Amino acid sequence: MNLVDRAAEGRRAVLAELDSTTQASHGQYFTPAAVAELMAELPVLPRSGELRVLDPGAGSGMLTAALTQRLRFTHPDLRLDITAVEADIALLPSLRRTMADCEKVGATTRIITADYIEWALTSGESFDLIIQNPPYRKLRAKSSTDVTLRRAGIIVPNLYAAFMALGALQLTPGGQQVSITPRSWMNGPYYQPFRRLLLRTTSIDTIHTFESRSLVFGDMGVLQESII
């Protein structure tokens, strides 16, 4: 069984039914298989023991599938304990199928149907690896989400930065986070508090850039300058 191919089928099914208004409101841009496989190769992982993995805003589960597929062959003695968080109930059938496929090759999985920001601020859980393609949507100043994040010391202008900040705070000591995002957080005053938080809590090992804006989410009509 090729987990990535199976997840790609789910992604195509989701895209075929995707409503543009809903997509925009959720900031959804689903990870292509090739990008997911690249992201899954980046973390440096132990050979054995247990790895607690979090996929926030999991969508159809493409990133989890790619990671499980990699570790199935390269780290057969490493036990995977996967938590996928997804708020959009329309995506749950595809996500459940992907998680079931991962369980067939030995992973333990759990799906949390919740808003990731609310869940992350209250769950108290931590993870060894967080792999994510967070939503890309501006955060309205003084909205309930903005107020909630500010109370937690997270000042960001976009949901994707909130996901990255919360991910950094949910890592175990020595944990790793792999995120694909716009590159806008890397400069400018709006993201300065976020950059300070990120660099205070983590260090950056690798930055991957793409030669073409159309390579990453081109099948969704998005010309976004993305980095991992």
Side-chain angles (χ1 to χ4, degrees):
M1 177 192 301
N2 187 308
L3 298 178
V4 174
D5 287 347
R6 290 267 293 171
E9 290 177 5
R11 179 181 183 272
R12 285 192 291 271
V14 166
L15 290 179
E17 300 294 328
L18 191 64
D19 175 80
S20 59
T21 302
T22 302
Q23 178 202 353
S25 67
H26 289 291
Q28 295 169 324
Y29 299 95
F30 299 99
T31 317
V35 173
E37 289 176 320
L38 172 61
M39 293 175 66
E41 291 292 332
L42 291 177
V44 178
L45 303 174
R47 287 288 171 183
S48 60
E50 182 181 69
L51 186 74
R52 297 197 69 212
V53 179
L54 174 66
D55 184 351
S60 61
M62 177 65 78
L63 288 171
T64 291
L67 181 68
T68 305
Q69 177 91 351
R70 172 202 168 187
L71 299 188
R72 177 187 176 195
F73 295 104
T74 62
H75 293 64
D77 296 325
L78 184 61
R79 299 188 307 277
L80 275 182
D81 183 354
I82 300 166
T83 297
V85 181
E86 178 53 58
D88 188 349
I89 60 174
L91 305 180
L92 293 181
S94 292
L95 180 58
R96 290 190 183 111
R97 188 178 79 161
T98 300
M99 296 299 108
D101 286 345
C102 292
E103 289 188 350
K104 290 176 183 176
V105 296
T108 300
T109 71
R110 173 178 59 148
I111 296 175
I112 304 293
T113 308
D115 177 271
Y116 170 63
I117 292 174
E118 295 177 1
W119 178 81
L121 289 171
T122 58
S123 72
E125 296 193 45
S126 57
F127 298 87
D128 306 307
L129 174 63
I130 296 175
I131 186 165
Q132 64 170 317
N133 173 9
Y136 306 168
R137 180 166 63 81
K138 289 183 179 180
L139 187 57
R140 186 166 54 84
K142 299 182 180 179
S143 64
S144 59
T145 301
D146 180 48
V147 171
T148 298
L149 287 167
R150 285 176 180 269
R151 286 174 179 164
I154 299 172
I155 302 171
V156 291
N158 196 294
L159 281 181
Y160 81 78
F163 272 57
M164 288 177 71
L166 288 167
L169 296 175
Q170 284 195 284
L171 290 175
T172 57
Q176 298 172 82
Q177 177 167 236
V178 183
S179 306
I180 182 166
T181 70
R183 59 181 288 178
S184 51
W185 65 267
M186 302 187 75
N187 53 47
Y190 292 115
Y191 287 92
Q192 189 175 73
F194 165 70
R195 289 195 298 271
R196 287 175 173 166
L197 183 152
L198 190 68
L199 296 177
R200 185 174 67 249
T201 55
T202 66
S203 60
I204 298 175
D205 293 331
T206 302
I207 296 176
H208 179 91
T209 62
F210 296 90
E211 291 184 359
S212 170
R213 294 187 180 196
S214 63
L215 284 178
V216 185
F217 300 109
D219 62 345
M220 299 185 70
V222 178
L223 298 179
Q224 174 68 57
E225 197 165 5
S226 302
I227 63 168
I228 300 169

